[in-house]
Every structure is written in C-alpha cells, then in structure tokens.
Amino acid sequence: VVEFHRQETPGPGISDPHHYDLDSLVTLDVMLAEPKVDFEGGELRTLETDGELKEHHFGKGEVLAFQAHKYHCVAPVQRGCRSVLVLEFWDGPARRCPHRCTSFARSCPRETPDGRQLDRQGSELQEPKPLGRLLPFRMGSIRRNDSAAGHSLDIFWQCNEPVQCEMDVNDSG
C-alpha cells in the first residue's frame, strides 16, 4: 500500500498515540518536505514500553522504517506543509485488486473468477489496474555521503528481482 500524506497548517496530525498500521508488516515513511524549512511541528512519535512518546526526526529524502504494529502518532503541523510518502508492506495472498484488500481469502471478493475487477457497488471497472509484484520481497539499500557538500543520501527500496537490488552508488543522477 502506498499513501501520500499532506498535512497543512492547521494540520491535526494523527493524535491517537495508540494508532498502528493494521495488518501490514513493515511501514516506511519517506519525508518529502524539509522540516524547519517547509513546515514546523509534525514530528512522528512512537509510544515506547515505558509509556513515553519518543520523537523521531528525519529530513527531506530520508526514510524511517518501523514494524507496522508499533504504536505511533504525528504531532500537529504548526506552520507550512508536511508531505510524506508512506509505504506499507503486507503479507498474504497475491492481489490484483486496486484497493487495500482486507480479505484473507485466496482471491478478492471484488474480483470475478475470470480476473475482472469490480468496484464497491459490484460494477466492472473499465480500466483494470496493473498487477503489483508478489511477496515475499527483498529489500535494497544504499547510503551515499558527501561530507564536503554537507549532505548525504539514504535510499531504501523493495525489489523482487536481483538486478533491481543493484545500484551504482557513484551515479550522480
């Protein structure tokens, strides 16, 4: 599941400290805005075993990965706009359906035996969505530091084919 979260002032955030990502295994948050420049507030917090909320700071282009069942919340945005790409990785049967499927059956109840996809009202979708990749998946990562320029690049991605997990760390593109 891929979600784009955009919180503008006054943004309520996710105030419930007992929020978690139901049924997924791993959640990746990719920060698309620069904290303290594009927005103030909006800190991601996790509820720790001692009952305290721990703030996790990450900058534009950085990724925060955590187990999806970990309780987490997001502080309200005080100024500007916070943009985050959220990726949830799930386990379960392969799906072709274009929605967050909650069925544990072998096939989606909104898919016909011949593979046609139905909307919530049971009508056939005119343009079926493309197939996604199947789990289990492999993860790839890369870290590139440029201390002279004062920045670093960390990338974390899903890949199913070995060739997808190879990346030239010297590629400046």
Side-chain angles (χ1 to χ4, degrees):
V1 173
V2 177
E3 302 171 342
F4 176 69
H5 292 205
R6 181 180 171 97
Q7 295 173 277
E8 295 184 35
T9 307
I14 300 172
S15 59
D16 180 7
H18 292 98
H19 166 82
Y20 64 99
D21 299 330
L22 180 66
D23 295 328
S24 56
L25 303 174
V26 176
T27 298
L28 301 179
D29 285 1
V30 182
M31 182 61 69
L32 302 176
E34 189 65 60
K36 309 280 187 233
V37 174
D38 298 325
F39 69 96
E40 296 279 342
E43 297 85 4
L44 184 114
R45 299 173 176 157
T46 55
L47 185 60
E48 302 302 313
T49 56
D50 63 3
E52 296 295 317
L53 284 173
K54 180 179 178 182
E55 283 191 4
H56 300 274
H57 300 277
F58 57 119
K60 184 176 183 178
E62 295 180 342
V63 177
L64 187 66
F66 55 94
Q67 292 178 330
H69 66 266
K70 184 163 185 69
Y71 292 135
H72 59 281
C73 57
V74 178
V77 173
Q78 302 298 322
R79 177 191 62 79
C81 181
R82 177 185 190 267
S83 299
V84 177
L85 185 68
V86 177
L87 298 96
E88 295 180 16
F89 295 92
W90 291 48
D91 190 12
R95 292 285 189 232
R96 296 167 37 129
C97 47
H99 60 274
R100 181 183 276 192
C101 194
T102 57
S103 170
F104 290 105
R106 200 137 185 72
S107 63
C108 175
R110 288 171 44 189
E111 185 176 79
T112 65
D114 61 358
R116 292 178 293 126
Q117 298 170 16
L118 308 176
D119 63 17
R120 289 186 178 157
Q121 291 74 37
S123 300
E124 184 175 350
L125 292 175
Q126 297 304 312
E127 296 181 31
K129 303 291 182 186
L131 296 177
R133 296 228 176 238
L134 302 178
L135 293 175
F137 53 83
R138 293 174 34 176
M139 301 305 286
S141 66
I142 186 173
R143 172 171 280 176
R144 182 175 179 193
N145 293 310
D146 187 344
S147 55
H151 66 270
S152 66
L153 173 67
D154 295 308
I155 303 172
F156 188 55
W157 70 92
Q158 171 194 348
C159 56
N160 289 52
E161 306 297 329
V163 70
Q164 290 178 320
C165 290
E166 298 172 6
M167 179 180 274
D168 182 2
V169 295
N170 297 315
D171 181 15
S172 60

